[in-house]
């Protein structure tokens, strides 16, 4: 978290949702969410423990908390394939509202959206993939946002969607909002029967911010590098990534492509 401190989350989350598909390419979803979070000190060596590194009063949510809320989202998807797109795109927008149930004075709204598009170059063997992601949390009524639900950048862990800045440590940057973009050039280098392999070059750029007016282009962080996606019947079974940024080299090993 932030200046290389570590924490151990224990999360219990219930999600009851309803969905509706208006057309073949457009669908919506509404959900009720309950989240119970316990926060302990992490166990990484040579890194500050969150409850020792920061005064507890400075970090909303450092003692965990119980939240209830609602979420509504709309997705428009014209990709030719869900996990191996060669053309088309996907746009989504999501609105969320959360309030504490245990007196922690958490109360906030979240708006998040993403746009991704895929462009074949000469043939389907070469694809340019582009994604833009934005998110903003806004506290309500003078209350606060727990740090574990803030926008975050860093790392390539798919569990929290934090694959937006792949050379940095996981969850390196936290704030109320984020804006990030990913660019990948993918080239099919191997194909035999149902097996394929795509090599790719990547460039990530992004920044977190408190208020929209705080966003500055000269503060953008970046990553560049490449990797390979191993696929079976057009579904990625192993994705290997290596990226470089201003702080370090980062590597990733996953069972699906980032987007």
């Amino acid at each position: 978290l932030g200046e290389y401190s570590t924490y151990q989350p224990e999360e219990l989350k219930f999600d009851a949702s309803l969905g509706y598909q208006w057309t073949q390419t457009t669908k919506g979803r509404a959900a009720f969410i309950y989240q119970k979070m316990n926060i302990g000190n992490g166990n990484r060596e040579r890194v500050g423990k969150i409850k020792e590194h920061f005064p507890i009063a400075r970090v909303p949510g450092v003692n965990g908390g119980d939240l209830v809320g609602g979420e509504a989202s709309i997705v428009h998807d014209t990709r030719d394939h869900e996990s191996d797109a060669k053309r088309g795109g996907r746009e989504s927008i999501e609105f969320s509202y959360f309030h504490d149930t245990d007196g922690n004075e958490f109360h906030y709204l979240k708006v998040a959206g993403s746009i991704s598009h895929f462009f074949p170059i000469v043939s389907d063997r070469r694809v340019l993939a582009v994604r833009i992601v934005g998110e903003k949390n806004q506290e309500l009524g003078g209350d606060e946002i727990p740090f574990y639900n803030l926008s975050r950048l860093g790392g390539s862990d798919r569990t929290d969607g934090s694959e937006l800045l792949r050379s940095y440590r996981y969850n390196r940057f936290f704030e109320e909002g984020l804006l990030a973009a990913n660019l990948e050039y993918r080239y099919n280098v191997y194909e035999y029967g149902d097996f394929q392999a795509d090599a790719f070059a990547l460039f990530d750029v992004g920044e977190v911010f408190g208020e929209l007016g705080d966003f500055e282009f000269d503060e953008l962080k970046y990553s560049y590098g490449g990797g390979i996606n191993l696929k079976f019947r057009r579904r990625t079974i192993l994705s290997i990534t290596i990226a470089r940024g201003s702080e370090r080299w980062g590597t990733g090993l996953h069972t699906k492509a980032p987007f």
Side-chain angles (χ1 to χ4, degrees), residues 1-258:
L1 171 66
E3 300 302 322
Y4 296 115
S5 62
T6 181
Y7 69 97
Q8 180 65 46
E10 295 180 356
E11 182 183 32
L12 175 66
K13 192 172 186 178
F14 294 102
D15 182 327
S17 64
L18 293 172
Y20 183 78
Q21 186 153 348
W22 287 282
T23 69
Q24 188 175 357
T25 59
T26 305
K27 60 184 178 180
R29 176 179 177 269
F32 169 81
I33 298 170
Y34 170 77
Q35 179 188 36
K36 181 179 181 63
M37 183 72 80
N38 294 317
I39 300 294
N41 282 326
N43 54 15
R44 287 177 56 191
E45 298 295 331
R46 299 185 299 277
V47 176
K49 307 300 188 290
I50 187 171
K51 294 185 179 182
E52 302 168 2
H53 191 66
F54 293 103
I56 289 178
R58 284 185 53 197
V59 184
V62 72
N63 288 319
D66 297 352
L67 293 167
V68 294
E71 177 184 291
S73 62
I74 298 176
V75 176
H76 179 243
D77 193 342
T78 59
R79 294 173 297 175
D80 64 323
H81 195 278
E82 181 178 353
S83 58
D84 186 29
K86 308 293 186 182
R87 52 177 49 82
R90 183 182 186 276
E91 302 86 35
S92 68
I93 188 166
E94 177 184 297
F95 301 91
S96 305
Y97 168 85
F98 289 96
H99 198 292
D100 71 274
T101 63
D102 57 1
N104 269 317
E105 297 184 342
F106 300 146
H107 189 198
Y108 65 98
L109 290 171
K110 175 181 287 188
V111 180
S114 69
I115 300 173
S116 57
H117 276 269
F118 304 86
F119 306 94
I121 301 175
V122 181
S123 72
D124 285 351
R125 293 191 63 187
R126 301 174 179 86
V127 175
L128 184 67
V130 182
R131 177 175 61 172
I132 300 173
V133 178
E135 184 177 298
K136 183 65 174 75
N137 294 274
Q138 183 62 52
E139 62 266 37
L140 298 173
D143 288 338
E144 297 180 301
I145 305 165
F147 81 90
Y148 47 81
N149 284 349
L150 288 171
S151 305
R152 60 189 71 183
L153 282 177
S156 55
D157 191 310
R158 284 292 302 175
T159 59
D160 289 310
S162 183
E163 79 288 1
L164 301 174
L165 209 53
R166 285 169 276 188
S167 71
Y168 288 84
R169 296 180 185 275
Y170 178 54
N171 289 346
R172 174 65 175 89
F173 305 103
F174 278 67
E175 252 301 357
E176 292 186 4
L178 71 81
L179 185 62
N182 307 107
L183 179 68
E184 289 189 3
Y185 173 71
R186 302 170 180 174
Y187 179 47
N188 178 249
V189 295
Y190 176 81
E191 188 166 349
Y192 181 78
D194 291 328
F195 291 92
Q196 305 91 33
D198 289 351
F200 62 89
L202 69 88
F203 183 76
D204 302 335
V205 62
E207 181 59 284
V208 296
F209 53 88
E211 300 298 332
L212 290 173
D214 298 332
F215 181 85
E216 296 182 3
F217 284 98
D218 58 358
E219 295 294 329
L220 287 169
K221 310 299 188 298
Y222 65 88
S223 299
Y224 61 88
I228 190 165
N229 293 329
L230 304 179
K231 301 180 293 184
F232 178 72
R233 294 181 178 175
R234 297 190 68 182
R235 294 191 177 276
T236 298
I237 56 176
L238 184 63
S239 179
I240 303 169
T241 301
I242 183 168
R244 174 67 176 171
S246 62
E247 295 183 351
R248 65 194 285 269
W249 286 95
T251 58
L253 187 65
H254 304 286
T255 56
K256 65 186 300 184

